[in-house]
Amino acid sequence: GYSGYSGSGLSGYSGYSGFRKPESEAYKQVLNNFGVKSEECLFVDDKDRNLDGAKNVGMNILKFRNVYV
């Protein structure tokens, strides 16, 4: 999967991993690429199903609502 530095922290993109959210392998591969534990990560998304997938592998989650808040 793609991973890089976004200026505010490390970022990973499941679309490049061969797996799709909310498949647990999509999240696990990004964690593995960075060599970090799931509880050390914050996953941000606007879709509950994707947040549930991240939570199921032990990531901290934050629901994105809009840019105006």
Side-chain angles (χ1 to χ4, degrees), residues 25-52:
E25 288 303 318
Y27 306 96
K28 289 176 183 178
Q29 191 170 60
V30 171
L31 294 170
N32 193 33
N33 287 348
F34 288 119
V36 295
K37 298 175 184 173
S38 58
E39 61 269 14
E40 298 173 325
C41 296
L42 175 64
F43 179 79
V44 181
D45 203 290
D46 62 339
K47 294 180 174 60
D48 289 335
R49 68 179 179 270
N50 294 339
L51 293 166
D52 290 342

Side-chain angles (χ1 to χ4, degrees), residues 55-66:
K55 189 175 182 180
N56 288 339
V57 298
M59 291 180 168
N60 298 292
I61 59 171
L62 178 68
K63 185 169 186 174
F64 178 81
R65 296 191 190 279
N66 64 55

Side-chain angles (χ1 to χ4, degrees), residues 16-27:
Y16 297 101
S17 72
F19 299 98
R20 296 187 63 162
K21 299 176 291 184
E23 293 178 70
S24 62
E25 288 303 318
Y27 306 96

